Amino acid sequence: MEYSYSIFILLLPLFSFIILGLAGMKMSHKLAGYIGTCSLGIVTILSYLCAFQYFGADRVNDIYPTIVPYNFTWLPLGSLHFDLGILLDPISVVMLIVISTVSLMVHIYSFGYMHGEKGFQRYYAFLSLFTMSMLGLVLATNIFQMYMFWELVGVSSYLLIGFYYPLKPAIAASKKAFIVTRFADMFFLIGILMFGYFTHSFSFNFAGHGAEVIMGEGTTPFIMADYGRAITAGAMIIPTALTLMFIGGAGKSAMFPLHIWLPDAMEGPTPVSALIHAATMVVAGVFQIARMFPLWMAFAPHTLSIVVWVGVFTAFYAAAVACAQSDIKRVLAFSTISQIAFMMVALGVSMPGHEALYDDHAQLGYMAGMFHLFTHAMFKACLFLGAGCIIHAVHSNEMALMGGLRKYMPVTHITFLISCLAIAGIPFFSGFSSKDEIITACFQYSPVVGWIMTGIAAMTAFYMFRLYYGIFWGTENKEAHAHHTPHEAPLSMTIPLIVLCVITVGVGIYSTLGGFLGWEGSFGSFVSASGKDYIIHFDTQIALTSTVIAILSICLATYIYKGESQPIADRLYKTFPKLHRAAYKRFYQDEIWQYVTHRIIFRCVSTPIAWFDRHIVDGTFNFLAWGANEAGESIRPWQSGDVRQYAVWFLTGTVALTLILLCI
């Protein structure tokens, strides 16, 4: 059967998790690491094979087919049924490349970073579970299967964020991530149930709108969602269900105000941060919107404005906070929140009032969002892994204890710089192509949104080079380095940096030249929601404007932060101390959530409900139990076992019945 090997993409990391979870403590560290890494290496090879086979195959009407090599009914419930299977289409195949590549780099990198750590085998078991969960999510054939793996991703993140469980901050961070995302997932589940109830299907196989569906032998055909029934259900039902699902995606992708878990997730090992921020978990929300996008376009195009404005505000908020952070991992965390918001905005602006469902202009945002997901995964993973090398060298996350590290860590310095140029949107680096396509789509949607996103892109360039200069330039903190001299990380840590950096540069050069010269290729074009190739063609005015603004932002960061002393930064801090502190404290979002949960929800909602439960509900059932007990005690003497007493009662009853009958 064609693509029959795709099942091993899921099974290999699952087996790795089971083996390491059950027998890992009986193995040596190296053996456990080799099992986890080799299984991911095979998964990566199979993912690339699948991508080359899929994108190299013949297309029907220039549209990539939707291929389902496996699908079977797991749980039938009347007209509804829960299926499990594997679905291959352009976005799922691209996600296979992203997840497998970044996860493999993290597995290799962890050999050096986690060397000697207690629980090394447990760490690799959790990595395998995390990777398997995300792969299952993107290969899901229906919404409910997606939800199952969605929750597994949440469990995996909880385990990895809390890996250092003896430390209270790690436990608090893992619980915070779990609770916030579970709260959001409740809305996702309600949306799924609403959608299934009114459409009698959990399937999204119609995502291609006419694309050829190739089923594997022995699989169960999909039940197409009944559009007539969906429309009859009411104009508000499907938009409401999709909005509820978006809340679930907003929680997983850390959109405001459900973003509060992500910065604290930095308490986990740094390679875990790279995996969460680059290829798993936070992009799950973006993938959910992309997977359900035909439903949004068909039933709720105007509701996409919610996605747009939530994304715009989140991108600005996170960029503003990133400008004031001193912990390098927190800067990158808020950068991730801002960049994920860019992807959300791109998907939201994909319907700027066009009548044609798959008009090229309507497709630009979708293509740009998914392309940015791909490029961001590579350079953000490189940035996080580079941060891990820096922390490994100086034993601190604080920029104040760094400075001048470029002469000690040349490989980390160059790869970090290239990744900063990519996220800043400089030409010939991958972020330039995807970011400019997003901004172009935003201008087509609304000039206001376009200029706001251009400004946020400028902020991105500024805070990333503030981070870069704070780490690699400036004054070296010799007191912090007195006990040890910073040094370059071992090859197991630097090789993944180089690989990710090469991908960032290679994709950037190819897509940039392809956009200007009109090349067609795997990275010169990207797949749109209709399943067709969308060739990248830059809007010259927007590309030049955003590039000039990005360069000016880098120059401003260079002017303020490159020197050994930073008088301008100190003067700005003294001029706006309250603003700086507010941004440093994340505009007090944690404090607001603490107040809302403890003073309002717990005190004004939970406490009355608890009183009602204890006194009314429990009291009612306690009264019923007391009444039954008392009734039993009152008639207990009737069952004494004394035959003479029974004879008296029998005669008394007989006489009473006789008198009643005579009276009648």
Side-chain angles (χ1 to χ4, degrees):
M1 182 173 61
E2 193 176 20
Y3 298 99
S4 59
Y5 57 84
S6 59
I7 191 67
F8 292 103
I9 294 176
L10 288 179
L11 293 181
L12 285 172
L14 176 61
F15 290 154
S16 174
F17 164 69
I18 294 173
I19 293 170
L20 294 177
L22 295 178
M25 296 306 295
K26 298 179 181 179
M27 302 177 185
S28 65
H29 286 197
K30 282 189 176 181
L31 179 59
Y34 286 144
I35 290 175
T37 305
C38 290
S39 67
L40 247 296
I42 298 171
V43 168
T44 304
I45 293 171
L46 293 177
S47 298
Y48 276 82
L49 174 63
C50 182
F52 282 117
Q53 184 178 354
Y54 181 85
F55 288 114
D58 295 333
R59 286 170 277 175
V60 179
N61 298 323
D62 201 34
I63 297 176
Y64 288 106
T66 298
I67 300 172
V68 185
Y70 296 96
N71 190 65
F72 64 93
T73 299
W74 171 55
L75 184 63
L77 291 174
S79 60
L80 277 175
H81 54 90
F82 301 141
D83 293 346
L84 295 177
I86 292 176
L87 184 148
L88 300 175
D89 68 351
I91 61 171
S92 64
V93 174
V94 168
M95 287 300 296
L96 285 182
I97 297 298
V98 172
I99 296 168
S100 61
T101 301
V102 175
S103 183
L104 179 61
M105 295 301 106
V106 168
H107 275 72
I108 296 172
Y109 181 92
S110 297
F111 264 101
Y113 190 87
M114 299 298 291
H115 177 72
E117 287 280 0
K118 182 180 179 181
F120 187 88
Q121 300 92 328
R122 172 169 52 91
Y123 170 81
Y124 268 89
F126 291 164
L127 280 186
S128 297
L129 177 63
F130 203 164
T131 305
M132 185 276 296
S133 303
M134 194 63 195
L135 289 169
L137 190 154
V138 301
L139 292 174
T141 58
N142 58 85
I143 305 172
F144 208 88
Q145 182 185 346
M146 174 187 280
Y147 180 75
M148 290 171 57
F149 283 99
W150 184 280
E151 293 302 316
L152 272 177
V153 169
V155 171
S156 306
S157 66
Y158 168 78
L159 296 172
L160 283 168
I161 294 169
F163 176 77
Y164 297 120
Y165 62 87
L167 304 178
K168 289 185 178 180
I171 295 300
S174 63
K175 290 192 295 185
K176 187 176 184 180
F178 192 80
I179 292 169
V180 172
T181 53
R182 292 297 74 69
F183 171 75
D185 292 350
M186 174 185 68
F187 294 95
F188 187 17
L189 179 60
I190 294 172
I192 290 172
L193 296 177
M194 286 180 61
F195 176 81
Y197 178 78
F198 285 101
T199 63
H200 292 192
S201 175
F202 291 121
S203 172
F204 42 56
N205 70 300
F206 48 86
H209 272 283
E212 178 189 358
V213 179
I214 302 175
M215 306 291 292
E217 296 178 4
T219 58
T220 304
F222 281 108
I223 298 176
M224 296 290 283
D226 188 341
Y227 286 99
R229 187 185 298 119
I231 295 172
T232 305
M236 291 301 295
I237 298 299
I238 302 301
T240 302
L242 291 173
T243 303
L244 291 171
M245 293 184 201
F246 167 67
I247 295 174
K252 197 73 81 181
S253 290
M255 295 293 100
F256 186 92
L258 300 172
H259 67 285
I260 56 172
W261 66 269
L262 189 58
D264 291 346
M266 299 299 97
E267 295 295 337
T270 301
V272 171
S273 302
L275 196 57
I276 290 176
H277 287 253
T280 60
M281 193 147 182
V282 291
V283 299
V286 178
F287 180 82
Q288 183 225 79
I289 302 294
R291 171 59 77 208
M292 305 296 292
F293 196 71
L295 278 173
W296 286 89
M297 297 181 79
F299 298 109
H302 301 294
T303 314
L304 282 170
S305 60
I306 298 173
V307 180
V308 173
W309 290 108
V310 168
V312 168
F313 183 81
T314 302
F316 174 75
Y317 163 82
V321 173
C323 290
Q325 298 302 301
S326 59
D327 184 317
I328 63 174
K329 287 178 69 176
R330 292 192 187 277
V331 175
L332 295 176
F334 280 99
S335 170
T336 296
I337 295 173
S338 184
Q339 294 302 304
I340 296 295
F342 263 79
M343 302 172 204
M344 287 288 192
V345 172
L347 293 174
V349 301
S350 293
M351 280 291 287
H354 291 278
E355 295 295 330
L357 191 63
Y358 290 108
D359 181 271
D360 282 347
H361 292 291
Q363 293 297 290
L364 176 60
Y366 183 97
M367 180 281 302
M370 296 308 295
F371 188 28
H372 196 59
L373 188 155
F374 178 90
T375 59
H376 174 264
M378 302 305 166
F379 58 68
K380 182 55 64 69
C382 188
L383 286 168
F384 265 108
L385 296 182
C389 292
I390 295 161
I391 295 168
H392 184 266
V394 301
H395 306 294
S396 175
N397 294 17
E398 291 294 324
M399 280 192 284
L401 300 178
M402 300 173 191
L405 293 182
R406 68 188 185 281
K407 55 188 175 184
Y408 299 110
M409 308 177 70
V411 176
T412 304
H413 170 233
I414 295 299
T415 55
F416 202 94
L417 174 60
I418 290 173
S419 298
C420 286
L421 291 170
I423 197 173
I426 301 302
F428 304 108
F429 298 94
S430 60
F432 166 72
S433 306
S434 54
K435 180 211 67 175
D436 266 57
E437 293 293 88
I438 290 176
I439 293 176
T440 301
C442 289
F443 272 106
Q444 291 181 357
Y445 179 83
S446 165
V448 174
V449 175
W451 281 113
I452 292 174
M453 298 307 290
T454 301
I456 297 170
M459 294 172 67
T460 302
F462 176 80
Y463 69 68
M464 286 307 303
F465 274 84
R466 170 183 174 268
L467 176 66
Y468 165 73
Y469 286 121
I471 296 171
F472 295 104
W473 294 77
T475 304
E476 179 184 351
N477 193 321
K478 294 185 179 180
E479 292 182 5
H481 304 160
H483 300 292
H484 64 278
T485 302
H487 55 84
E488 188 61 89
L491 284 176
S492 60
M493 296 170 67
T494 54
I495 288 176
L497 295 181
I498 295 170
V499 172
L500 293 169
C501 191
V502 168
I503 295 174
T504 297
V505 174
V507 172
I509 292 174
Y510 197 81
S511 59
T512 302
L513 293 179
F516 285 128
L517 304 178
W519 292 352
E520 294 187 27
S522 298
F523 299 110
S525 62
F526 211 75
V527 179
S528 62
S530 61
K532 295 182 178 180
D533 279 334
Y534 191 104
I535 308 301
I536 295 173
H537 293 297
F538 295 115
D539 184 308
T540 306
Q541 182 178 353
I542 293 175
L544 288 175
T545 301
S546 63
T547 301
V548 169
I549 292 175
I551 292 173
L552 290 175
S553 298
I554 294 172
C555 292
L556 179 62
T558 304
Y559 178 65
I560 296 175
Y561 294 107
K562 184 183 178 183
E564 293 187 0
S565 61
Q566 300 174 356
I568 298 176
D570 295 337
R571 196 179 309 131
L572 287 172
Y573 173 74
K574 292 177 181 178
T575 306
F576 307 102
K578 292 183 178 179
L579 179 61
H580 181 275
R581 179 165 178 77
Y584 181 79
K585 298 289 287 184
R586 315 174 202 177
F587 294 100
Y588 305 103
Q589 285 301 303
D590 283 338
E591 289 77 5
I592 292 172
W593 272 102
Q594 285 278 19
Y595 180 84
V596 170
T597 53
H598 287 79
R599 297 296 181 87
I600 298 178
I601 297 177
F602 292 169
R603 180 179 295 181
C604 301
V605 179
S606 299
T607 301
I609 290 175
W611 182 91
F612 182 84
D613 180 63
R614 285 194 302 268
H615 294 85
I616 305 300
V617 177
D618 288 353
T620 300
F621 284 96
N622 290 339
F623 174 77
L624 293 174
W626 174 83
N629 185 63
E630 289 299 314
E633 289 293 333
S634 64
I635 66 173
R636 183 178 178 182
W638 297 1
Q639 303 292 328
S640 64
D642 189 341
V643 176
R644 291 172 298 176
Q645 185 183 21
Y646 292 165
V648 171
W649 281 109
F650 176 76
L651 291 174
T652 303
T654 302
V655 172
L657 288 173
T658 303
L659 291 175
I660 291 171
L661 291 174
L662 289 175
C663 291
I664 294 175

